[in-house]
Amino acid sequence: MLGVALLASGLSSSSVGTMAGQVIMQGYLRRRIPVFVRRAVTMAPALLALALGVNPSRALVISQVILSFGIRSPSSTGALLSDRALMGPW
């Protein structure tokens, strides 16, 4: 039962990440991209790791290290959010 719960949790997490990636891609590129293409692009790294047989634990650690370099301090995030050219009407 735990395995089923973990699988459902992983699929849920992946789908939320995929949907968030779609919204971000559409917002930054300011173009309409077909849903299938957006989903394929956002899921490609995970599918590639699975296809290559990468150790899931190692892939998770490496992905978190890479993501940590992209996280900015709250002050620089505030500067980005206050940039009218970047945020548009929001």
Side-chain angles (χ1 to χ4, degrees), residues 6 49-50 53-65:
L6 288 173
L50 283 173
V54 175
N55 178 344
S57 296
R58 183 168 172 80
L60 178 63
V61 170
I62 291 170
S63 71
Q64 295 306 304
V65 168

Side-chain angles (χ1 to χ4, degrees), residues 12-87:
S12 173
S13 175
S14 295
S15 65
V16 168
T18 299
M19 289 179 208
Q22 291 173 6
V23 170
I24 290 170
M25 284 175 53
Q26 184 174 349
Y28 279 122
L29 296 178
R30 292 184 168 98
R31 295 180 47 185
R32 285 268 183 218
I33 300 171
V35 174
F36 177 77
V37 174
R38 286 183 289 178
R39 290 185 182 162
V41 168
T42 55
M43 290 295 289
L47 295 175
L48 181 64
L50 283 173
L52 294 174
V54 175
N55 178 344
S57 296
R58 183 168 172 80
L60 178 63
V61 170
I62 291 170
S63 71
Q64 295 306 304
V65 168
I66 292 169
L67 287 172
S68 72
F69 288 114
I71 297 174
R72 298 181 181 258
S73 67
S75 62
S76 64
T77 303
L80 288 175
L81 294 177
S82 63
D83 183 0
R84 290 195 183 273
L86 177 65
M87 295 304 294

